[in-house]
Amino acid sequence: MAVEWLMMCGIQVPDEAGLSTYFDSIGHHRCTNEASPQLTRIPWIDSEMSRSGSPFLSTGVYEPLLTSRFTAVFGPGATLWYKFLQRRIVLKSENATIAARVLVDQTVFASTNLFLFLSSMAYMEGTDPKEKLNSTYWNALQKNWMVWPAVQAINFKLVPLEHRVLVVNIVSLGECFSRID
């Protein structure tokens, strides 16, 4: 279904069989499969954005080394975060648990991840991290809060732990590609 949705949106799917393999092997290689969507989404988005001349790339040119450094730092974090939430935030009712997970996700993880993302990308691009944070952090965090609390509530309520990273990556792809002219 994800492949069809991406293709309907006019997005070229680089490895349709890879998605099938991902779904087929989830239970067998759980750690690798939970992190792999994050590890493939970022290079794919970067290459598509550079191909389209997107203003979201500050240099305007696809830089594989920059992408790989970012991916190595941020890729596995989402998998570990979801496991942490699953183990540590458990309340008496299911809905209270979901609400608490969304609250912690959006206050602790989203704000910290955005801070680290903007800072490290500015550093790796050779620009001033403080300036990048001052000019974009608060606006980006507010936009994040318009979309992600609802996505995460649905994710925590309906999606098994091993598929949550994939859901976030699919939504992220849609969000990123909706901004490309």
Side-chain angles (χ1 to χ4, degrees):
M1 183 169 122
V3 173
E4 289 84 13
W5 179 80
L6 292 171
M7 293 172 84
M8 284 180 3
C9 293
I11 299 168
Q12 294 178 326
V13 179
D15 182 9
E16 185 174 338
L19 289 176
S20 299
T21 303
Y22 171 80
F23 287 118
D24 292 343
S25 65
I26 285 257
H28 305 298
H29 307 287
R30 198 164 170 182
C31 183
T32 303
N33 284 313
E34 287 176 357
S36 63
Q38 187 77 13
L39 298 173
T40 57
R41 172 180 65 98
I42 296 162
W44 186 24
I45 289 171
D46 281 358
S47 64
E48 281 295 309
M49 289 177 129
S50 64
R51 186 182 59 78
S52 68
S54 171
F56 291 98
L57 287 177
S58 60
T59 62
V61 177
Y62 175 58
E63 300 176 34
L65 184 59
L66 179 64
T67 298
S68 62
R69 285 184 286 188
F70 170 76
T71 302
V73 172
F74 290 98
T79 299
L80 296 173
W81 178 247
Y82 287 124
K83 288 179 180 179
F84 169 81
L85 290 176
Q86 188 76 17
R87 280 192 320 267
R88 300 291 184 171
I89 300 182
V90 181
L91 303 176
K92 290 183 180 184
S93 82
E94 181 185 12
N95 288 336
T97 298
I98 291 165
R101 287 178 183 167
V102 170
L103 179 66
V104 172
D105 181 69
Q106 292 303 300
T107 56
V108 176
F109 187 78
S111 59
T112 304
N113 191 50
L114 182 61
F115 176 87
L116 293 172
F117 170 76
L118 293 173
S119 301
S120 63
M121 290 304 289
Y123 176 76
M124 289 187 276
E125 292 171 345
T127 61
D128 181 18
K130 187 174 181 179
E131 182 181 312
K132 181 76 163 181
L133 288 168
N134 287 337
S135 66
T136 60
Y137 179 79
W138 182 242
N139 187 37
L141 189 59
Q142 288 176 318
K143 289 184 183 207
N144 171 81
W145 288 338
M146 288 189 218
V147 174
W148 288 101
V151 170
Q152 292 296 49
I154 293 167
N155 204 13
F156 295 141
K157 175 84 174 174
L158 302 176
V159 180
L161 177 62
E162 64 268 16
H163 296 297
R164 289 181 186 158
V165 173
L166 180 62
V167 168
V168 167
N169 281 287
I170 290 170
V171 173
S172 295
L173 279 172
E175 186 179 32
C176 288
F177 281 109
S178 70
R179 296 178 182 170
I180 296 176
D181 297 328

